[in-house]
Amino acid sequence: MREDEGMTRYLVVPQWQGSPSSRAMQLIDGAQAIAGDLPRASTTVLDVPMEAGESLGTGIHRLSALQRVRGMVAQALDAHDAAAPDEPVLTIGGDCGIALAPIAHAARRSPGLAVVWIDAHPDLNSPDSSPSGAFAGMALRAVIGDGDPGLALPAGTIAAERVVVGGARSFDDPELELVSERGIAALTVEALRDGDALADAVLATGADAVYVHIDIDALDPAEIAGNAQPEPFGVTVAELTVAVARLRERVPLVGASLAGYSPASVAAATDDLGAILRVIGALA
């Protein structure tokens, strides 16, 4: 059985400590609202600590809390492997930092892994270049082994040449320089509207398996209200789900994550669930 043919398990990680937003703690409400609509028997919700944590002398705010949660996620994934090794896991956040441990986990299973990062922001800052000190804006940089060793994946785990950024439309200058210098593929929103472009880009990396991370701010703000950092002119739910479906037809999906749902209130948390569950359905 291919790994993307088993029943999907869901790991919900309501981490807020990596977010730059003043609405960061509403990521907890978003994650819990999504969890409420997932199959209970297939869903694990981690008890993320509430404390902010310390920077520990680095340029990463709340680093100690982020390290603790990453350890919790890794432990949960290891426990899942022991119980159901053939069932893929979809990790749901929280902020984009929740993808680090699942990507490392997927890379151990599939050394030829490519990472697709679909996000309005490419998350390629370093602790030195970040304007906010928020780890969510550094998460993909950490995936390729750059950044504080307390969070970054070991160098060589994921080569920059096996990363495909999709739908990003708000780059900082250091991020643009890194994309050019390191050979990171970047698909515009317009490119993603071609249903085969994402799969073509992944196959061009030479990868034999793929991990897909989606921040819901990749979607156009008209598609979803619960977005603390809206950027205009994003993809539609239909365009995104077609791109993911075409990718899965051509490359085995060995892991995925979805992050960034930040509803304005607990009462509003259910408003966007129809759109979010369609995206989850494409990944699961």
Side-chain angles (χ1 to χ4, degrees):
M1 176 184 291
R2 270 184 20 186
E3 284 182 288
D4 63 348
E5 291 177 342
M7 183 180 74
T8 300
R9 307 284 301 187
Y10 302 93
L11 178 62
V12 180
V13 187
Q15 175 177 283
W16 62 274
Q17 290 92 336
S19 171
S21 172
S22 59
R23 282 169 49 174
M25 298 205 53
Q26 286 159 294
L27 290 165
I28 300 170
D29 298 333
Q32 291 176 341
I34 295 170
D37 260 11
L38 298 176
R40 183 169 300 180
S42 304
T43 302
T44 300
V45 181
L46 289 191
D47 186 14
V48 171
M50 290 298 296
E51 61 264 23
E54 304 293 335
S55 65
L56 304 179
T58 69
I60 302 175
H61 294 173
R62 309 172 185 140
L63 175 64
S64 62
L66 295 165
Q67 289 174 322
R68 181 177 172 191
V69 177
R70 178 179 168 180
M72 293 170 64
V73 176
Q75 186 174 25
L77 291 169
D78 288 343
H80 163 77
D81 277 355
D86 293 326
E87 293 179 359
V89 178
L90 172 54
T91 305
I92 294 170
D95 66 71
C96 286
I98 58 101
L100 267 288
I103 290 173
H105 176 261
R108 287 195 300 271
R109 298 169 68 121
S110 301
L113 186 72
V115 171
V116 167
W117 197 268
I118 298 176
D119 195 318
H121 314 87
D123 298 343
L124 285 168
N125 271 301
S126 69
D128 293 330
S129 71
S130 171
S132 67
F135 181 67
M138 313 177 207
L140 185 55
R141 185 76 172 259
V143 166
I144 61 173
D146 291 349
D148 189 273
L151 282 176
L153 302 192
T157 303
I158 301 293
E161 297 80 11
R162 282 192 276 122
V163 170
V164 177
V165 174
R169 50 203 188 274
S170 178
F171 287 79
D172 294 325
D173 287 343
E175 295 177 308
L176 284 171
E177 292 167 10
L178 189 78
V179 167
S180 176
E181 290 170 1
R182 300 290 294 275
I184 296 172
L187 297 180
T188 64
V189 169
E190 189 61 35
L192 277 180
R193 292 189 171 123
D194 174 351
D196 289 309
L198 184 58
D200 289 344
V202 170
L203 288 167
T205 70
D208 55 20
V210 66
Y211 181 102
V212 176
H213 173 78
I214 296 175
D215 186 325
I216 60 98
D217 69 12
L219 294 169
D220 191 89
E223 297 276 293
I224 192 158
N227 179 358
Q229 294 180 286
E231 296 287 346
F233 311 117
V235 293
T236 66
V237 172
E239 290 163 345
L240 179 57
T241 55
V242 166
V244 171
R246 298 271 182 87
L247 173 63
R248 293 189 64 175
E249 288 170 0
R250 298 169 64 187
V251 188
L253 180 73
V254 295
S257 45
L258 181 139
Y261 182 40
S262 178
S265 66
V266 174
T270 58
D271 293 351
D272 296 311
L273 285 181
I276 290 172
L277 291 172
R278 285 174 64 193
V279 177
I280 288 173
L283 293 171

